[in-house]
Amino acid sequence: GMNLLLTRLAQRWGEVSITGTNIVLMQSAVLSTNAGASGILVDAVAPVISNVTVVATRGTALRKRGPGTLRLGHSILVAGGGEEHAALAWEDGGLHSDWNNLRAANASWVGFRHGRWEKLSYWQAASGQDANSVSFDPLFQNEPAGDLHLNSTAGRWSPIFNDWDYGDTTNSPLIDLGDPWIGTGDEVMYNGYRRNLGAYGGTEQ
């Protein structure tokens, strides 16, 4: 379709496929454990992906195909599995990507673009993208169980208790790492005056 907004998607297994024109996906979490599957496959005209967490434990986190230009920001992309996978695979079309966390686990790569890049600095040089992005362990609360909230000693939303949990002993390095010029959205105080990366950045959680 055209001019569609999808927000607060929570998906486990499978693959999210984005096609059409002017499609926006935001504040969503995708955990894919399927061997070889991409967490998100984009083949669309003028798509936007913002504040999304994608963990593909045995595949590529985000694969960009087609002639359209993808705008990607404030997202956490984690790839796993073998060397045929990457956090971000840019195969065709245009890309404007920044303020993300690109993480490669096991034998996967940070990025694919005219080669395979094992470090963020190599990806930045080869692609011209992600100047303000990082490559950290996100420190999710419970990835195997599908809880992709970021650990925080100041308090973290718990979908189990449906309330705030103050029991964390570590802080995710992705807290308050968003573009300082875009604001914090619905993040509750104290929010550091900068948006968190990932699916819950800019939300009340």
mmCIF file of all heavy atoms in Angstrom, residues 11-15 30-39 55-60 80-81 85:
data_model
loop_
_atom_site.group_PDB
_atom_site.id
_atom_site.type_symbol
_atom_site.label_atom_id
_atom_site.label_comp_id
_atom_site.label_asym_id
_atom_site.label_seq_id
_atom_site.Cartn_x
_atom_site.Cartn_y
_atom_site.Cartn_z
ATOM 1 N N GLN A 11 7.046 -8.940 17.175
ATOM 2 C CA GLN A 11 7.000 -10.186 16.416
ATOM 3 C C GLN A 11 8.142 -11.100 16.827
ATOM 4 O O GLN A 11 9.286 -10.671 16.958
ATOM 5 C CB GLN A 11 7.090 -9.916 14.913
ATOM 6 C CG GLN A 11 7.121 -11.205 14.095
ATOM 7 C CD GLN A 11 6.848 -10.974 12.642
ATOM 8 O OE1 GLN A 11 5.951 -10.236 12.278
ATOM 9 N NE2 GLN A 11 7.630 -11.610 11.779
ATOM 10 N N ARG A 12 7.812 -12.384 16.991
ATOM 11 C CA ARG A 12 8.819 -13.406 17.219
ATOM 12 C C ARG A 12 8.732 -14.427 16.095
ATOM 13 O O ARG A 12 7.647 -14.743 15.616
ATOM 14 C CB ARG A 12 8.603 -14.094 18.567
ATOM 15 C CG ARG A 12 8.826 -13.171 19.751
ATOM 16 C CD ARG A 12 8.829 -13.937 21.047
ATOM 17 N NE ARG A 12 9.966 -14.860 21.125
ATOM 18 C CZ ARG A 12 10.222 -15.596 22.185
ATOM 19 N NH1 ARG A 12 9.450 -15.532 23.253
ATOM 20 N NH2 ARG A 12 11.268 -16.400 22.190
ATOM 21 N N TRP A 13 9.898 -14.930 15.689
ATOM 22 C CA TRP A 13 10.025 -15.861 14.579
ATOM 23 C C TRP A 13 9.672 -15.158 13.266
ATOM 24 O O TRP A 13 9.265 -14.007 13.247
ATOM 25 C CB TRP A 13 9.171 -17.116 14.792
ATOM 26 C CG TRP A 13 9.402 -17.752 16.114
ATOM 27 C CD1 TRP A 13 10.528 -18.427 16.509
ATOM 28 C CD2 TRP A 13 8.537 -17.750 17.243
ATOM 29 N NE1 TRP A 13 10.398 -18.847 17.822
ATOM 30 C CE2 TRP A 13 9.180 -18.458 18.289
ATOM 31 C CE3 TRP A 13 7.272 -17.234 17.490
ATOM 32 C CZ2 TRP A 13 8.614 -18.639 19.544
ATOM 33 C CZ3 TRP A 13 6.699 -17.420 18.728
ATOM 34 C CH2 TRP A 13 7.360 -18.114 19.736
ATOM 35 N N GLY A 14 9.844 -15.841 12.170
ATOM 36 C CA GLY A 14 9.439 -15.296 10.880
ATOM 37 C C GLY A 14 10.270 -14.113 10.429
ATOM 38 O O GLY A 14 11.358 -13.859 10.919
ATOM 39 N N GLU A 15 9.726 -13.373 9.488
ATOM 40 C CA GLU A 15 10.404 -12.251 8.864
ATOM 41 C C GLU A 15 9.384 -11.161 8.584
ATOM 42 O O GLU A 15 8.286 -11.434 8.107
ATOM 43 C CB GLU A 15 11.053 -12.715 7.560
ATOM 44 C CG GLU A 15 11.804 -11.656 6.799
ATOM 45 C CD GLU A 15 12.486 -12.240 5.555
ATOM 46 O OE1 GLU A 15 11.784 -12.425 4.539
ATOM 47 O OE2 GLU A 15 13.686 -12.536 5.617
ATOM 48 N N VAL A 30 11.433 -6.944 16.784
ATOM 49 C CA VAL A 30 11.387 -8.170 15.993
ATOM 50 C C VAL A 30 12.494 -9.095 16.494
ATOM 51 O O VAL A 30 13.671 -8.723 16.484
ATOM 52 C CB VAL A 30 11.586 -7.884 14.495
ATOM 53 C CG1 VAL A 30 11.620 -9.188 13.701
ATOM 54 C CG2 VAL A 30 10.489 -6.965 13.969
ATOM 55 N N LEU A 31 12.112 -10.281 16.920
ATOM 56 C CA LEU A 31 13.068 -11.307 17.328
ATOM 57 C C LEU A 31 12.869 -12.509 16.419
ATOM 58 O O LEU A 31 11.836 -13.171 16.470
ATOM 59 C CB LEU A 31 12.860 -11.705 18.789
ATOM 60 C CG LEU A 31 13.712 -12.868 19.312
ATOM 61 C CD1 LEU A 31 15.194 -12.555 19.188
ATOM 62 C CD2 LEU A 31 13.351 -13.191 20.755
ATOM 63 N N SER A 32 13.852 -12.758 15.556
ATOM 64 C CA SER A 32 13.759 -13.850 14.599
ATOM 65 C C SER A 32 14.794 -14.909 14.940
ATOM 66 O O SER A 32 15.992 -14.624 14.991
ATOM 67 C CB SER A 32 13.987 -13.343 13.173
ATOM 68 O OG SER A 32 14.006 -14.416 12.260
ATOM 69 N N THR A 33 14.328 -16.137 15.161
ATOM 70 C CA THR A 33 15.236 -17.241 15.455
ATOM 71 C C THR A 33 15.291 -18.241 14.303
ATOM 72 O O THR A 33 15.924 -19.284 14.435
ATOM 73 C CB THR A 33 14.800 -17.958 16.740
ATOM 74 O OG1 THR A 33 13.445 -18.409 16.604
ATOM 75 C CG2 THR A 33 14.891 -17.031 17.944
ATOM 76 N N ASN A 34 14.647 -17.911 13.192
ATOM 77 C CA ASN A 34 14.641 -18.806 12.034
ATOM 78 C C ASN A 34 15.994 -18.813 11.352
ATOM 79 O O ASN A 34 16.565 -17.750 11.073
ATOM 80 C CB ASN A 34 13.571 -18.364 11.026
ATOM 81 C CG ASN A 34 12.176 -18.487 11.570
ATOM 82 O OD1 ASN A 34 11.954 -18.246 12.751
ATOM 83 N ND2 ASN A 34 11.235 -18.834 10.725
ATOM 84 N N ALA A 35 16.517 -19.971 11.044
ATOM 85 C CA ALA A 35 17.811 -20.074 10.380
ATOM 86 C C ALA A 35 17.755 -19.439 9.001
ATOM 87 O O ALA A 35 16.895 -19.773 8.187
ATOM 88 C CB ALA A 35 18.229 -21.537 10.271
ATOM 89 N N GLY A 36 18.648 -18.506 8.756
ATOM 90 C CA GLY A 36 18.761 -17.884 7.448
ATOM 91 C C GLY A 36 17.787 -16.761 7.172
ATOM 92 O O GLY A 36 17.907 -16.090 6.157
ATOM 93 N N ALA A 37 16.824 -16.531 8.038
ATOM 94 C CA ALA A 37 15.818 -15.495 7.792
ATOM 95 C C ALA A 37 16.337 -14.118 8.201
ATOM 96 O O ALA A 37 17.093 -13.988 9.159
ATOM 97 C CB ALA A 37 14.539 -15.799 8.557
ATOM 98 N N SER A 38 15.916 -13.103 7.457
ATOM 99 C CA SER A 38 16.184 -11.723 7.864
ATOM 100 C C SER A 38 15.122 -11.297 8.863
ATOM 101 O O SER A 38 13.965 -11.705 8.751
ATOM 102 C CB SER A 38 16.148 -10.797 6.652
ATOM 103 O OG SER A 38 17.118 -11.162 5.694
ATOM 104 N N GLY A 39 15.505 -10.481 9.834
ATOM 105 C CA GLY A 39 14.501 -9.943 10.738
ATOM 106 C C GLY A 39 13.529 -9.053 9.987
ATOM 107 O O GLY A 39 12.318 -9.178 10.103
ATOM 108 N N VAL A 55 16.518 -8.401 16.326
ATOM 109 C CA VAL A 55 17.506 -9.409 16.692
ATOM 110 C C VAL A 55 17.239 -10.639 15.832
ATOM 111 O O VAL A 55 16.181 -11.256 15.948
ATOM 112 C CB VAL A 55 17.436 -9.771 18.181
ATOM 113 C CG1 VAL A 55 18.449 -10.864 18.512
ATOM 114 C CG2 VAL A 55 17.675 -8.535 19.042
ATOM 115 N N ALA A 56 18.179 -10.961 14.963
ATOM 116 C CA ALA A 56 18.091 -12.163 14.130
ATOM 117 C C ALA A 56 19.192 -13.101 14.609
ATOM 118 O O ALA A 56 20.354 -12.948 14.230
ATOM 119 C CB ALA A 56 18.249 -11.819 12.658
ATOM 120 N N THR A 57 18.841 -14.053 15.439
ATOM 121 C CA THR A 57 19.858 -14.869 16.098
ATOM 122 C C THR A 57 20.596 -15.789 15.128
ATOM 123 O O THR A 57 21.727 -16.195 15.403
ATOM 124 C CB THR A 57 19.229 -15.722 17.207
ATOM 125 O OG1 THR A 57 18.220 -16.573 16.643
ATOM 126 C CG2 THR A 57 18.599 -14.843 18.269
ATOM 127 N N ARG A 58 19.961 -16.096 13.980
ATOM 128 C CA ARG A 58 20.606 -16.965 12.990
ATOM 129 C C ARG A 58 20.437 -16.410 11.579
ATOM 130 O O ARG A 58 20.342 -17.160 10.610
ATOM 131 C CB ARG A 58 20.039 -18.380 13.077
ATOM 132 C CG ARG A 58 20.311 -19.068 14.416
ATOM 133 C CD ARG A 58 19.949 -20.533 14.363
ATOM 134 N NE ARG A 58 18.511 -20.723 14.255
ATOM 135 C CZ ARG A 58 17.937 -21.893 13.931
ATOM 136 N NH1 ARG A 58 18.694 -22.942 13.657
ATOM 137 N NH2 ARG A 58 16.627 -21.999 13.865
ATOM 138 N N GLY A 59 20.397 -15.068 11.475
ATOM 139 C CA GLY A 59 20.190 -14.464 10.167
ATOM 140 C C GLY A 59 20.622 -13.009 10.153
ATOM 141 O O GLY A 59 21.231 -12.509 11.097
ATOM 142 N N THR A 60 20.291 -12.317 9.060
ATOM 143 C CA THR A 60 20.569 -10.894 8.891
ATOM 144 C C THR A 60 19.476 -10.081 9.571
ATOM 145 O O THR A 60 18.292 -10.385 9.428
ATOM 146 C CB THR A 60 20.649 -10.553 7.396
ATOM 147 O OG1 THR A 60 21.819 -11.175 6.847
ATOM 148 C CG2 THR A 60 20.711 -9.059 7.155
ATOM 149 N N GLY A 80 23.192 -12.709 13.867
ATOM 150 C CA GLY A 80 23.883 -13.878 14.399
ATOM 151 C C GLY A 80 24.076 -14.912 13.319
ATOM 152 O O GLY A 80 23.824 -14.666 12.144
ATOM 153 N N GLY A 81 24.495 -16.079 13.728
ATOM 154 C CA GLY A 81 24.680 -17.146 12.760
ATOM 155 C C GLY A 81 26.018 -17.059 12.060
ATOM 156 O O GLY A 81 27.003 -16.563 12.611
ATOM 157 N N HIS A 85 25.595 -13.656 7.039
ATOM 158 C CA HIS A 85 24.649 -12.733 7.653
ATOM 159 C C HIS A 85 25.339 -11.463 8.155
ATOM 160 O O HIS A 85 26.534 -11.467 8.445
ATOM 161 C CB HIS A 85 23.926 -13.405 8.814
ATOM 162 C CG HIS A 85 23.242 -14.678 8.443
ATOM 163 N ND1 HIS A 85 22.321 -14.745 7.427
ATOM 164 C CD2 HIS A 85 23.358 -15.940 8.925
ATOM 165 C CE1 HIS A 85 21.884 -15.986 7.302
ATOM 166 N NE2 HIS A 85 22.501 -16.731 8.194
#
